[in-house]
Amino acid sequence: MKIWALAINTFREAIRDKVLYSLIFFAVLIIGLSVILDNLTIGEPTKIIKDFGLASIEIFGVLIAIFVGIGLVYKEMERKTIYNILSKPIHRYQFIIGKYLGLVLTLLVEVLTMSIALFLILYFYEGKIAFTLLPAIGMIFVALMIITAFALLFSSFSTPILSGLFTLSFFIIGHLTPDLLELVKKADSQTLRYVTEALYYIFPNLEYLNIKGQVVHHLPLEKGYLFFASLYGLLYILIILLLSMVIFQNRDIK
Amino acid sequence: MEHIIKTENLSKVFRAPFTFKKINALTDLRLEITPGEVFGFLGPNGAGKTTTFKLLLGLLKPSRGKIWLWREELKKIELKSKIGFLPENPYFYNYLKAKEYLHFCRHLFALNSQESKKRVDALLDLVGLPEHKNRLIKTFSKGMLQRLGLAQALINDPELLILDEPMSGLDPLGRKEIRDLILDLKNKGKTIIFSTHILSDVETVCDRVGILIKGNLRDCGPLEHLLNPKIKSFELCIKGLSIETVHNLEEQGLNLIKRGNEIFIRVEEKEEKNLLYYLLEKGGELVSFAPRKETLEDLYVNEIKSIDNHHENLGFGN
Ligand SMILES: Nc1ncnc2c1ncn2[C@@H]1O[C@H](COP(=O)(O)OP(=O)(O)OP(=O)(O)O)[C@@H](O)[C@H]1O
Ligand SMILES: [Mg+2]
């Protein structure tokens, strides 16, 4: 209940911030733009719309996750609004979870809004609802939850600019490590292989959660893929959140 | 003895940024607050009052020492259900309305009853914000923020109130209202500890005061125990003295203040008779003559002065 109050308050902050609206507006605009592009290219109709649509859902989600996420704890400390929370019967871990859930809720609204826009456009073209995109959207959402957890983690001990840079690099490296791993498999250097492998396990494997290509090109997924990918994501989130709580537990609220 | 707050050797050391120099914000504080009392916490800027309050609420971790609230160690989060805290210069969310904020606070205490909903309105009336319930906090003035801060501190009907400079930013009427509110809460059996720079507020509402200077509790006790009840000096006002006489007085090292054709003189006890005879003999006309007891201000100023290098350390020079 207390956690819910914190989450709703965080959600409300994001909702009442005009930045969010402009972001969503912009994203929907881009999906609209893809319609024009789609008409200009030959090949399977709506493929570009789907590509563009899914990509913009992800990119704008990441932008929101980072921009809002890096301020989650920092802003409360900076503006001292946190005094009136932690002086009340609230555990510090409750504060962390509440903040996290608030942003996840915000992202859910973003992903839902944009998905509905995408589905409407596709319905107009294909005359049916593009249910096949749902797994990809689900995985995007899991990836966004991971990014949010990272932003929150950094936000609990660092400044927004640093947190933003850290989070962004985790996002980028998270998409690159599988490729790197492939590359260095052929390398001679043993240490290079170890380092890359270590990186591979420390950074989130966001490529694992990226099934946009398969979905758009109607490639089959392995059995249980979605289940294990989600499980992987949730475990990852759990670890990052626990780490944030441990860091935050003993911090002085100055 | 029964107590609501008890601290032992409570200390807090900060590290200055970059230089990592130690800042002893609070040193070995020993404090016991008993149920139902109003305790005033005095001290110059940077004395450690806010630090003490933050330690009591678990916002800061002590560097040393222990804290008990209601005889239990601070770790138990439920203890905070019985506390109301007003931070100094309270901050709120700009995007909320006053009423929304109080409802948010209510949920943080897990107060969901119909009764607690009504309390939000009642509190906004009590602190003098009845017309601003649905206004965005962003548009509030300093004093209005202070009032809202007080309302949120009372939302859980706390047994113990910790108020960091509750009167700051308030107009004279507002200050009187808060003073009355504190007395009212005291009559309801609440325990209140608050910090202030306004000595007259302490004199009117506090049962006990503590004077904190540079992290050390210098004096602590009921006001009448701390202040010397004996008459220490006299203050007299006289007019119609010749210039030579005034000059003569000044040469004797007396403390004179001239205002218009009136002269105010502070004189130690036992010397007042001789001085008075002398002045009247010289043709002076007595305007007023009053014995003076030690005031809280005297005590406070003396305490601060007795710490020689206080000003040096704050960087005020001299
Ligand atoms: N976060 C911090 N980092 C470093 N030093 C700090 C920090 N917070 C407080 N201090 C130092 O601790 C000392 C006590 O500060 P505190 O805020 O408790 O004073 P105060 O009595 O509340 O003063 P005021 O009357 O101005 O509110 C000061 O010397 C201050 O510089
Ligand atoms: Mg202070």
Side-chain angles (χ1 to χ4, degrees):
Chain A
M1 215 25 229
K2 294 175 182 176
I3 292 178
W4 188 239
L6 286 163
I8 287 293
N9 186 47
T10 308
F11 176 67
R12 192 141 55 168
E13 172 168 21
I15 290 298
R16 293 194 179 172
D17 193 345
K18 287 172 201 85
V19 176
L20 186 75
Y21 290 117
S22 29
L23 268 181
I24 291 187
F25 173 76
F26 201 57
V28 172
L29 202 71
I30 286 213
I31 297 180
L33 204 70
S34 69
V35 173
I36 302 172
L37 276 179
D38 194 73
N39 285 330
L40 295 179
T41 41
I42 25 182
E44 191 193 338
T46 71
K47 201 173 82 50
I48 286 207
I49 299 179
K50 287 176 185 164
D51 269 338
F52 253 72
L54 291 178
S56 56
I57 290 177
E58 173 159 35
I59 298 291
F60 284 98
V62 169
L63 285 182
I64 293 174
I66 293 183
F67 276 120
V68 182
I70 55 177
L72 277 182
V73 177
Y74 185 84
K75 241 162 64 184
E76 294 257 8
M77 303 265 274
E78 183 71 14
R79 300 192 180 162
K80 304 189 176 173
T81 45
I82 196 169
Y83 292 0
N84 278 346
I85 294 178
L86 293 184
S87 60
K88 297 186 168 52
I90 302 286
H91 288 284
R92 293 201 176 182
Y93 71 83
Q94 290 176 317
F95 175 76
I96 292 285
I97 299 176
K99 283 270 134 189
Y100 180 71
L101 289 183
L103 184 46
V104 166
L105 196 62
T106 313
L107 286 167
L108 188 66
V109 170
E110 182 257 358
V111 170
L112 282 179
T113 317
M114 290 183 60
S115 303
I116 289 171
L118 182 61
F119 280 18
L120 280 177
I121 292 173
L122 289 173
Y123 185 79
F124 180 72
Y125 272 79
E126 302 182 322
K128 60 177 198 267
I129 298 172
F131 284 121
T132 49
L133 296 186
L134 279 180
I137 294 174
M139 288 299 107
I140 288 175
F141 190 63
V142 175
L144 290 180
M145 291 203 295
I146 295 181
I147 306 289
T148 307
F150 269 108
L152 178 73
L153 170 67
F154 295 128
S155 168
S156 66
F157 64 85
S158 160
T159 61
I161 293 182
L162 279 182
S163 306
L165 286 176
F166 286 146
T167 313
L168 193 64
S169 42
F170 268 74
F171 173 69
I172 293 170
I173 296 174
H175 275 294
L176 290 182
T177 44
D179 289 339
L180 281 180
L181 200 63
E182 282 301 312
L183 269 180
V184 296
K185 263 190 187 150
K186 292 156 205 148
D188 295 327
S189 163
Q190 187 79 13
T191 24
L192 187 65
R193 273 216 298 276
Y194 281 144
V195 169
T196 323
E197 245 176 69
L199 280 181
Y200 178 77
Y201 286 113
I202 293 171
F203 285 81
N205 185 352
L206 295 176
E207 273 309 304
Y208 187 30
L209 300 173
N210 177 12
I211 53 170
K212 295 197 288 282
Q214 284 100 312
V215 165
V216 173
H217 294 99
H218 309 294
L219 300 175
L221 289 169
E222 281 166 46
K223 231 178 167 210
Y225 189 96
L226 290 179
F227 174 75
F228 285 110
S230 310
L231 193 66
Y232 169 78
L234 293 181
L235 276 178
Y236 208 97
I237 292 165
L238 206 65
I239 291 170
I240 300 298
L241 285 183
L242 279 175
L243 201 58
S244 315
M245 290 174 202
V246 170
I247 290 176
F248 194 59
Q249 182 61 36
N250 289 311
R251 258 199 89 170
D252 274 346
I253 309 294
K254 288 181 177 170
Chain B
M1 199 168 81
E2 208 187 346
H3 55 75
I4 281 194
I5 298 176
K6 181 178 162 144
T7 70
E8 228 172 66
N9 301 333
L10 186 62
S11 309
K12 183 67 190 176
V13 182
F14 287 112
R15 294 275 170 183
F18 305 119
T19 59
F20 296 104
K21 235 184 81 187
K22 277 187 184 175
I23 302 169
N24 290 307
L26 193 65
T27 311
D28 292 330
L29 178 71
R30 232 168 212 287
L31 197 62
E32 283 193 18
I33 307 289
T34 50
E37 80 169 326
V38 178
F39 186 89
F41 218 27
L42 286 175
N45 294 129
K49 305 178 294 294
T50 300
T51 303
T52 306
F53 291 163
K54 285 194 195 172
L55 286 164
L56 291 177
L57 289 153
L59 293 171
L60 295 175
K61 310 275 165 182
S63 305
R64 220 174 36 246
K66 277 194 167 169
I67 301 169
W68 293 268
L69 298 175
W70 289 278
R71 292 173 172 274
E72 300 207 54
E73 281 202 51
L74 192 53
K75 287 183 192 79
K76 276 184 77 180
I77 206 90
E78 294 77 33
L79 293 176
K80 293 191 192 170
S81 310
K82 297 190 277 185
I83 304 178
F85 174 50
L86 169 70
E88 68 181 336
N89 308 320
Y91 296 86
F92 308 97
Y93 303 103
N94 284 335
Y95 52 90
L96 290 186
K97 294 168 184 163
K99 212 168 159 176
E100 288 174 333
Y101 185 73
L102 289 190
H103 282 296
F104 168 62
C105 291
R106 186 169 68 85
H107 291 306
L108 293 183
F109 281 102
L111 298 170
N112 303 311
S113 64
Q114 209 59 34
E115 202 178 317
S116 73
K117 265 187 206 161
K118 283 190 201 132
R119 196 172 163 78
V120 166
D121 275 304
L123 276 175
L124 284 168
D125 292 339
L126 180 74
V127 299
L129 295 172
E131 294 123 48
H132 307 293
K133 287 176 189 166
N134 287 310
R135 234 173 93 176
L136 278 178
I137 299 177
K138 191 160 52 180
T139 66
F140 273 25
S141 73
K142 185 166 156 42
M144 288 158 77
L145 290 174
Q146 194 73 20
R147 288 160 189 262
L148 182 61
L150 211 61
Q152 66 82 31
L154 293 170
I155 192 83
N156 55 328
D157 192 17
E159 281 177 41
L160 168 65
L161 274 147
I162 299 179
L163 312 174
D164 202 349
E165 300 192 24
M167 330 286 194
S168 92
L170 293 177
D171 55 38
L173 185 62
R175 275 196 4 224
K176 185 187 173 320
E177 284 169 6
I178 301 301
R179 253 194 334 252
D180 292 346
L181 181 64
I182 289 179
L183 288 174
D184 194 42
L185 288 165
K186 176 188 159 68
N187 288 336
K188 289 190 179 131
K190 313 287 185 193
T191 310
I192 301 160
I193 168 166
F194 73 99
S195 71
T196 183
H197 293 292
I198 301 160
L199 301 179
S200 62
D201 290 339
V202 177
E203 282 170 330
T204 41
V205 300
C206 290
D207 300 315
R208 276 198 311 152
V209 294
I211 299 182
L212 193 69
I213 296 176
K214 292 176 85 185
N216 295 293
L217 190 63
R218 303 280 303 180
D219 268 311
C220 185
L223 210 51
E224 61 271 18
H225 289 192
L226 292 185
L227 300 181
N228 197 332
K230 276 198 231 131
I231 294 165
K232 295 273 288 274
S233 62
F234 294 85
E235 208 167 54
L236 62 85
C237 178
I238 198 149
K239 64 181 182 183
L241 290 177
S242 66
I243 295 179
E244 293 90 70
T245 319
V246 175
H247 206 73
N248 203 353
L249 289 171
E250 271 173 338
E251 273 182 354
Q252 285 179 28
L254 277 172
N255 199 354
L256 305 189
I257 298 170
K258 293 173 218 167
R259 199 186 294 156
N261 60 350
E262 292 179 349
I263 294 174
F264 293 83
I265 306 173
R266 168 102 45 107
V267 60
E268 297 300 310
E269 71 166 319
K270 292 201 184 101
E271 291 170 23
E272 81 276 6
K273 266 187 202 142
N274 289 338
L275 181 69
L276 203 54
Y277 288 141
Y278 173 75
L279 292 174
L280 294 175
E281 196 177 299
K282 291 283 175 189
E285 202 179 311
L286 192 61
V287 179
S288 68
F289 180 81
R292 224 175 143 273
K293 287 184 194 170
E294 189 182 31
T295 63
L296 182 57
E297 186 177 323
D298 298 332
L299 176 73
Y300 186 71
V301 170
N302 285 337
E303 281 293 356
I304 294 174
K305 276 190 184 152
S306 73
I307 303 202
D308 315 316
N309 49 2
H310 167 72
H311 276 271
E312 272 166 30
N313 281 8
L314 275 181
F316 289 162
N318 68 52

